[in-house]
């Protein structure tokens, strides 16, 4: 009897692991093993030609602390996150509320808001590059004909380059987040808002007391995505500014790419990647454990 | 019946197969395209032509994106143990590739006097970036040099002689000031000159330093002269073009938008690569001229573009076949086709002696400017850990151009950073 049960137990156990195996193999091959290799590599020098990688201990990390460019891109990334996350989430909510109402041309509006998401980021960046071009670019043409401003070199001035990149990112992301909010809005029972309206609540109160709290799970999901994206989206930087002028618009991931695949300093590149990994895991943990408590799931 | 037919087919296939594997040499060849249009198709059709004429060689020509992508793919492929035998990579990446132990010199496959004579057929300015330590690691192929383009109508409009481009730095400022046009509210509608500075400002800036009679890096690629007073002077001139003289738009100037700005009449002169020649010829809605870059202490310009490299891992047979192919594709007829399709400077003097090239040059004389400038040209900035060192230099230039640092401080800073990197190669 006992042996029978243990055989059965073992078979279940094997069965379970077999079911998990395909997913695990991929997860390990493409996520965990590379992450661990990166951490190991971050303690070694970059192998070049016949020179093998040497164990350096913490030297790469000491270099990181002294690296002015690293601190600059980290600061840029913080500013980039602050500039893109609240703005694109707020815009997404506003757009979703708007196109959720019954009105003429709703389908067209939804499509218009979602279009930037469908376009490839590289193509988008090329379009914006010409918007931003001083002299004959769209923005300069508008500001000079409407307000008589002189031409502004948006991407070529360290004071404006990063903000110009932020605008493109917000424009690109807001439509994507809007789709999630739209789905969330449609899942909210109409009876709740109707009841509130009978009680005489204003639209403002309805939004803050009913709609917004009920959309919290979406907000959690969207904000995690927005945070990840603020560290992940760098494609447009290649086209718009190439990180310049003097690293004014460079972000952490862009700097990692430059270090590892332009300068071929894979050792130091690994060290920078560890920092990115740490930052992202800290933020993911923070969001799930702290933010999660204030989210109402149905 | 069916059975015998199958057998016959199988036998033929087998014989053909063994014959092919016994005789054919398989080559893989990576090439980048930095200018748009016909470049990729031209390389592909030239390769097909060669393979058709040489049945014992098969060449798999792989388009690998930009120069940056190509060197990344070559290094990755080599680390994975599967490098191509031949690749076109930036000439300035030579030291990096040596450092990575990825390339081998061509000399072993170019024996005797004949080989030496063939190497001597290339313009010396192009060979500067291709040889080190007495060995030849690169064969010039898609090479260019920057030139000055000017809008003849704008010159006429400003009361200048439309046939005379500026020959010196002072003239460029003087002409530039006459060419600058402002609207009623004082906004500039036409700038005098445009020297693009986005991405890799060092290349055109090297035009200025060469004209100021200073070399940015030594031939061994392990020492830079970024803080030489003459380099500082050249950077000051570039900064003054926007500041003191007001003939160039302030801030970083985009490369990609530069030809467009020229076509739109937003600038009367531009510095850019000869690789744009065909583009400007097709799209400029006005008469334009092409001139050598203006001189200061001397004439001067950097060279640029890509070389053929022979990669380690190739068998002797493959390497010999690759070298034969390189000899063929740089020979006058093929080289002429390539130059006419792209605007790249044909790297051998004999190409310019062919009837096709002579006819082309007679019809479109600007192509000769780049060739004639070669006698004043120097090697493009190239060092060990090249990308990193030039990136430091680019950052310094950008900081000075955007007014964050003064030229001297920016260059001193860049020099000390470059020294720290290059010390281990001395």
């Amino acid at each position: 009897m006992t042996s029978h049960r243990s055989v059965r137990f073992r078979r279940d156990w094997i069965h379970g692991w077999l079911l998990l195996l395909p997913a695990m193999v991929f997860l390990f091959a493409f996520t965990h093993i590379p992450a661990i290799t990166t951490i190991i590599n971050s303690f070694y020098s970059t192998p070049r030609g016949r020179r093998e990688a040497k164990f350096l201990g913490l030297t790469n990390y000491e270099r990181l602390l002294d690296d002015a460019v690293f601190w600059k891109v980290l600061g840029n990334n913080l500013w980039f996150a602050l500039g893109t996350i609240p703005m694109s989430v707020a815009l997404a909510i506003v757009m979703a509320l708007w196109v959720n109402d019954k009105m003429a041309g709703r389908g067209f509006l939804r499509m218009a808001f979602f279009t930037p998401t469908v376009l490839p980021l590289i193509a988008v960046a090329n379009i914006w590059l010409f918007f931003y071009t001083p002299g004959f670019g769209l923005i300069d043409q508008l500001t000079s004909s409407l307000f008589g401003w002189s031409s502004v070199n948006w991407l070529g001035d360290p004071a404006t380059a990063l903000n110009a990149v932020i605008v493109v990112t917000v424009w690109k992301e807001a439509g994507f987040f809007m789709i999630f909010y739209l789905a969330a809005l449609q899942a909210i029972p109409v009876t709740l808002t109707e009841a509130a309206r009978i009680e005489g609540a204003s639209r403002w109160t309805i939004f803050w007391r009913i709609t917004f709290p009920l959309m919290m799970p979406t907000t959690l999901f969207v904000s995690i995505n927005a945070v990840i994206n603020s560290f992940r989206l760098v494609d447009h930087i290649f086209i718009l500014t190439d990180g310049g002028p003097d690293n004014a618009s460079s972000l952490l991931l862009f700097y990692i790419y430059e270090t590892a695949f332009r300068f071929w300093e894979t050792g130091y590149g690994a060290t920078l990647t560890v920092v990115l990994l740490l930052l992202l895991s800290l933020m993911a943990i923070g969001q799930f454990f702290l933010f999660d408590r204030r989210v109402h799931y149905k | 019946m069916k059975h015998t037919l199958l057998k016959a087919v199988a036998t033929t296939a087998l014989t053909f197969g063994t014959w092919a594997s016994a005789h054919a040499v398989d080559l893989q060849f990576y090439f980048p395209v930095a200018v748009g249009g016909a470049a990729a198709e031209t390389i592909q059709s030239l390769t097909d032509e060669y393979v058709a004429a040489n049945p014992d060689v098969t060449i798999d020509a792989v388009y690998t994106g930009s120069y940056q992508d190509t060197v990344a793919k070559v290094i990755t492929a080599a680390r994975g143990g599967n490098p191509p035998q031949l690749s076109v990579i930036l000439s300035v990446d030579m030291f990096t590739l040596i450092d990575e132990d990825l390339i081998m010199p061509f000399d072993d496959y170019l024996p005797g006097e004949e080989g030496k004579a063939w190497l001597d057929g290339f313009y010396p300015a192009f060979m500067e970036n291709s040889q080190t330590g007495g060995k030849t690691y690169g064969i010039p192929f898609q090479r260019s040099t920057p030139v000055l383009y000017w809008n003849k109508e704008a010159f006429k409009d400003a009361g200048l002689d439309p046939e005379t481009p500026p020959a010196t730095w002072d003239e460029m400022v003087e002409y530039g000031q006459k060419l600058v046009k402002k609207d009623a509210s004082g906004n500039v509608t036409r700038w005098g000159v445009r020297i693009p500075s986005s991405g890799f400002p060092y290349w055109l800036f090297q035009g200025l330093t060469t004209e100021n009679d200073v070399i940015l890096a030594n031939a061994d690629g392990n020492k830079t002269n970024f803080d030489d007073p003459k380099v500082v002077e050249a950077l000051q001139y570039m900064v003054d073009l926007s500041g003191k003289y007001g003939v160039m738009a302030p801030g970083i100037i985009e490369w990609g938008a530069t030809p467009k700005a020229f076509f739109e009449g937003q600038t009367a002169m531009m510095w850019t690569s000869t690789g744009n020649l065909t583009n400007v010829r097709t799209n400029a809605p006005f008469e334009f001229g092409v001139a050598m870059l203006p001189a200061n202490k001397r004439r001067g310009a950097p060279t640029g573009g890509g070389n053929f490299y022979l990669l380690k891992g190739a068998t002797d047979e493959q390497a010999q076949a690759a070298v034969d192919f390189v000899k063929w594709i740089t020979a006058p007829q093929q080289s002429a086709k390539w130059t006419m399709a792209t605007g790249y400077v044909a790297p051998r003097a004999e190409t310019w002696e062919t009837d096709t090239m002579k006819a082309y040059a007679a019809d479109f004389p600007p192509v000769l400017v780049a060739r004639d400038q070669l006698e004043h040209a120097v090697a493009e900035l190239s060092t060990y850990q090249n990308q990193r060192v030039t990136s430091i230099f680019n950052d310094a230039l950008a900081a000075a151009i955007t007014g964050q640092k003064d030229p001297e401080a920016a260059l001193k800073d860049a020099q000390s950073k470059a020294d720290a990197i290059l010390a281990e190669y001395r």
Side-chain angles (χ1 to χ4, degrees):
Chain A
M1 189 67 195
T2 347
S3 72
H4 185 68
R5 193 190 278 163
S6 81
V7 167
R8 173 107 185 257
F9 174 75
R10 196 179 298 148
R11 271 179 56 190
D12 278 356
W13 186 83
I14 292 173
H15 208 113
W17 277 104
L18 275 177
L19 283 172
L20 278 176
L21 191 69
M24 281 213 346
V25 167
F26 281 103
L27 210 56
F28 271 92
F30 295 108
T31 309
H32 300 305
I33 295 173
I36 291 165
T37 327
T38 303
I39 294 172
I40 296 171
N41 284 345
S42 73
F43 296 105
Y44 284 85
S45 70
T46 304
R48 274 183 208 282
R50 289 194 205 96
R51 273 175 291 158
E52 292 282 309
K54 272 187 310 215
F55 182 74
L56 294 177
L58 289 175
T59 315
N60 277 338
Y61 289 89
E62 280 161 16
R63 176 174 159 198
L64 187 96
L65 295 179
D66 289 335
D67 185 354
V69 179
F70 167 72
W71 291 108
K72 190 166 185 177
V73 298
L74 202 63
N76 284 349
N77 223 140
L78 199 68
W79 179 245
F80 183 76
L82 283 177
T84 54
I85 301 167
M87 195 62 190
S88 54
V89 172
L91 256 179
I93 294 178
V94 172
M95 293 195 301
L97 286 172
W98 191 18
V99 298
N100 193 40
D101 284 344
K102 286 196 176 61
M103 56 171 176
R106 186 171 76 166
F108 176 77
L109 256 187
R110 284 184 183 174
M111 189 196 76
F113 286 161
F114 194 60
T115 311
T117 306
V118 186
L119 297 173
L121 193 48
I122 299 284
V124 161
N126 272 304
I127 297 169
W128 278 87
L129 185 63
F130 274 87
F131 284 0
Y132 281 134
T133 307
F136 53 89
L138 181 76
I139 296 175
D140 254 16
Q141 298 237 357
L142 280 178
T143 54
S144 74
S145 62
L146 292 179
F147 318 114
W149 290 5
S150 58
S151 92
V152 180
N153 194 347
W154 299 100
L155 295 170
D157 183 335
T160 53
L162 186 58
N163 293 333
V165 173
I166 288 176
V167 169
V168 180
T169 318
V170 169
W171 177 84
K172 169 89 185 153
E173 286 204 301
F176 183 55
F177 296 152
M178 178 198 75
I179 290 293
F180 296 105
Y181 279 112
L182 202 54
L185 280 174
Q186 282 166 5
I188 296 174
V190 197
T191 44
L192 289 178
T193 37
E194 271 172 2
R197 220 171 281 143
I198 291 167
E199 296 283 336
S202 65
R203 283 189 74 134
W204 185 249
T205 320
I206 293 176
F207 174 75
W208 282 114
R209 289 303 169 96
I210 297 171
T211 320
F212 189 70
L214 283 175
M215 290 196 305
M216 265 322 239
T218 309
T219 306
L220 174 68
F221 172 78
V222 161
S223 60
I224 288 173
N225 266 290
V227 168
I228 294 172
N229 279 355
S230 70
F231 284 91
R232 197 181 61 108
L233 283 185
V234 293
D235 316 24
H236 50 329
I237 294 177
F238 285 86
I239 305 288
L240 288 172
T241 61
D242 216 17
D246 192 16
N247 298 305
S249 61
S250 181
L251 301 179
L252 186 53
L253 185 57
F254 186 83
Y255 186 49
I256 291 174
Y257 174 84
E258 261 193 330
T259 308
F261 299 105
R262 274 191 189 166
F263 311 157
W264 290 100
E265 283 204 62
T266 41
Y268 188 53
T271 313
L272 289 165
T273 311
V274 170
V275 174
L276 182 64
L277 271 177
L278 266 178
L279 274 174
L280 282 177
S281 13
L282 275 180
M283 270 181 295
I285 292 169
Q287 274 180 318
F288 274 113
F289 287 93
L290 299 176
F291 203 13
D292 218 23
R293 283 192 212 150
R294 299 181 37 205
V295 175
H296 307 273
Y297 291 103
K298 259 185 288 191
Chain B
M1 180 63 202
K2 201 175 161 196
H3 195 69
T4 24
L5 186 71
L6 263 180
K7 237 186 199 165
V9 171
T11 330
T12 329
L14 205 67
T15 349
F16 188 75
T18 24
W19 177 81
S21 64
H23 296 269
V25 182
D26 291 326
L27 291 181
Q28 201 180 32
F29 157 44
Y30 284 6
F31 67 94
V33 172
V35 294
E41 291 146 44
T42 312
I43 292 196
Q44 191 63 54
S45 77
L46 283 172
T47 311
D48 291 345
E49 201 181 307
Y50 183 75
V51 172
N54 298 272
D56 53 341
V57 183
T58 56
I59 301 178
D60 178 17
V62 185
Y63 165 59
T64 40
S66 67
Y67 279 118
Q68 202 67 60
D69 296 339
T70 302
V71 72
K73 280 174 188 161
V74 166
I75 294 181
T76 316
R79 287 188 180 173
N82 190 24
Q85 288 76 43
L86 194 64
S87 181
V88 173
I89 305 176
L90 280 180
S91 58
V92 291
D93 281 329
M94 176 174 69
F95 292 112
T96 308
L97 292 167
I98 293 173
D99 198 24
E100 294 277 351
D101 197 26
L102 292 183
I103 52 172
M104 48 190 183
F106 279 85
D107 309 72
D108 300 343
Y109 302 95
L110 295 166
E113 282 303 305
E114 194 194 341
K116 198 181 166 299
W118 181 71
L119 284 176
D120 288 343
F122 289 94
Y123 286 108
F126 285 147
M127 290 317 272
E128 280 187 26
N129 270 123
S130 314
Q131 295 171 319
T132 188
K135 302 243 178 200
T136 306
Y137 288 94
I139 299 297
F141 179 56
Q142 49 189 46
R143 298 298 296 266
S144 56
T145 180
V147 285
L148 180 137
Y149 296 73
W150 85 96
N151 177 339
K152 290 187 179 172
E153 280 170 26
F155 269 55
K156 234 180 273 172
D157 180 49
L160 293 163
D161 176 9
E163 298 307 322
T164 316
T168 63
W169 285 12
D170 292 341
E171 276 180 18
M172 193 166 82
V173 170
E174 188 194 321
Y175 291 13
Q177 280 169 337
K178 285 185 186 152
L179 286 160
V180 170
K181 209 157 96 176
K182 292 183 178 167
D183 64 10
S185 49
N187 296 329
V188 177
T189 57
R190 182 176 69 204
W191 290 102
V193 65
R194 201 175 152 109
I195 303 179
S197 49
S198 67
F200 45 105
Y202 82 90
W203 194 53
L204 289 179
F205 178 66
Q206 211 190 335
L208 292 170
T209 54
T210 313
E211 287 144 23
N212 215 21
D213 204 18
V214 57
I215 295 296
L216 288 174
N218 66 352
D220 293 329
N222 57 18
K223 178 107 180 62
T224 56
N225 300 320
F226 294 160
D227 59 350
D228 187 292
K230 286 176 182 166
V231 180
V232 177
E233 202 185 345
L235 184 53
Q236 189 62 51
Y237 175 77
M238 188 160 175
V239 170
D240 285 347
L241 285 177
S242 304
K244 195 163 134 199
Y245 306 128
V247 297
M248 190 162 76
I252 295 297
I253 295 176
E254 181 58 37
W255 270 91
T258 294
K260 179 86 173 147
F262 185 65
F263 303 152
E264 297 275 327
Q266 297 263 337
T267 181
M269 296 181 272
M270 66 167 173
W271 287 28
T272 191
S273 162
T274 50
N276 264 311
L277 206 50
T278 313
N279 179 18
V280 177
R281 188 187 191 188
T282 327
N283 293 312
F286 45 74
E287 264 196 76
F288 70 96
V290 174
M292 289 189 211
L293 299 182
N296 193 38
K297 294 192 170 70
R298 53 166 282 199
R299 284 266 181 202
T303 58
N307 278 346
F308 276 111
Y309 289 96
L310 202 53
L311 284 118
K312 283 197 174 166
T315 62
D316 268 355
E317 209 183 10
Q318 283 176 319
Q320 192 59 57
V323 172
D324 290 343
F325 172 66
V326 171
K327 274 182 165 170
W328 178 83
I329 205 166
T330 50
Q333 288 308 325
Q334 289 68 251
S335 179
K337 259 186 215 166
W338 176 238
T339 297
M340 288 187 287
T342 57
Y344 283 117
V345 188
R348 296 175 67 80
E350 55 181 356
T351 305
W352 297 91
E353 300 303 320
T354 57
D355 292 338
T356 12
M357 275 311 274
K358 276 185 178 157
Y360 180 60
D363 178 43
F364 188 44
V367 295
L368 295 175
V369 174
R371 182 199 65 179
D372 296 340
Q373 187 173 257
L374 286 180
E375 104 184 52
H376 310 288
V378 298
E380 182 178 1
L381 171 62
S382 171
T383 63
Y384 281 97
Q385 298 219 22
N386 186 55
Q387 302 282 350
R388 198 166 147 216
V389 172
T390 45
S391 164
I392 288 169
F393 191 49
N394 283 336
D395 286 349
L397 296 178
I401 291 167
T402 55
Q404 293 177 299
K405 290 182 187 163
D406 73 284
E408 195 178 351
L411 290 169
K412 276 231 154 68
D413 192 27
Q415 177 64 27
S416 68
K417 282 185 192 162
D419 273 337
I421 293 167
L422 293 175
E424 63 170 304
Y425 297 96
R426 287 174 196 155

